[in-house]
Amino acid sequence: MNDETENQPQPDPRQEPFVVDKGLLTEDQLEGLVEEYCTRYHGVNDTESPMNEKSRVMTAVNNGDLVVWFNPVENSAGLGPKA
């Protein structure tokens, strides 16, 4: 009996996105991620001023509702819900 899953390559854990402690980022870096998040998620919703959400998003980051994800394959970071 040939199990097809045995022949499938296993994902490299070093290529998986991971959460970065926000304390490792400078205030400017964190603010940049918050602004990018506001633009990406609120700017597409025809919100007149997506930056009005900055304080709400920063509060979500400080409360741990949003975390900093780093994607080593794309060498990029962004905010998102914790897994």
Side-chain angles (χ1 to χ4, degrees):
M1 186 181 248
N2 185 5
D3 185 10
E4 290 183 26
T5 58
E6 287 180 20
N7 297 329
Q8 298 296 321
Q10 296 298 314
D12 185 342
R14 295 171 297 179
Q15 294 181 349
E16 295 294 314
F18 59 90
V19 174
V20 175
D21 184 337
K22 69 180 176 65
L24 297 174
L25 282 78
T26 66
E27 189 174 320
D28 287 343
Q29 290 169 325
L30 194 56
E31 188 166 323
L33 291 172
V34 167
E35 289 176 1
E36 186 268 339
Y37 183 88
C38 289
T39 303
R40 183 168 20 114
Y41 288 105
H42 299 294
V44 296
N45 294 332
D46 298 324
T47 301
E48 215 170 288
S49 183
M51 290 303 162
N52 287 344
E53 298 293 321
K54 276 178 62 174
S55 65
R56 193 171 68 85
V57 172
M58 187 63 84
T59 298
V61 170
N62 289 330
N63 290 341
D65 297 326
L66 288 174
V67 295
V68 179
W69 285 95
F70 181 76
N71 185 326
V73 172
E74 296 178 5
N75 196 29
S76 64
L79 297 178
K82 55 186 171 183

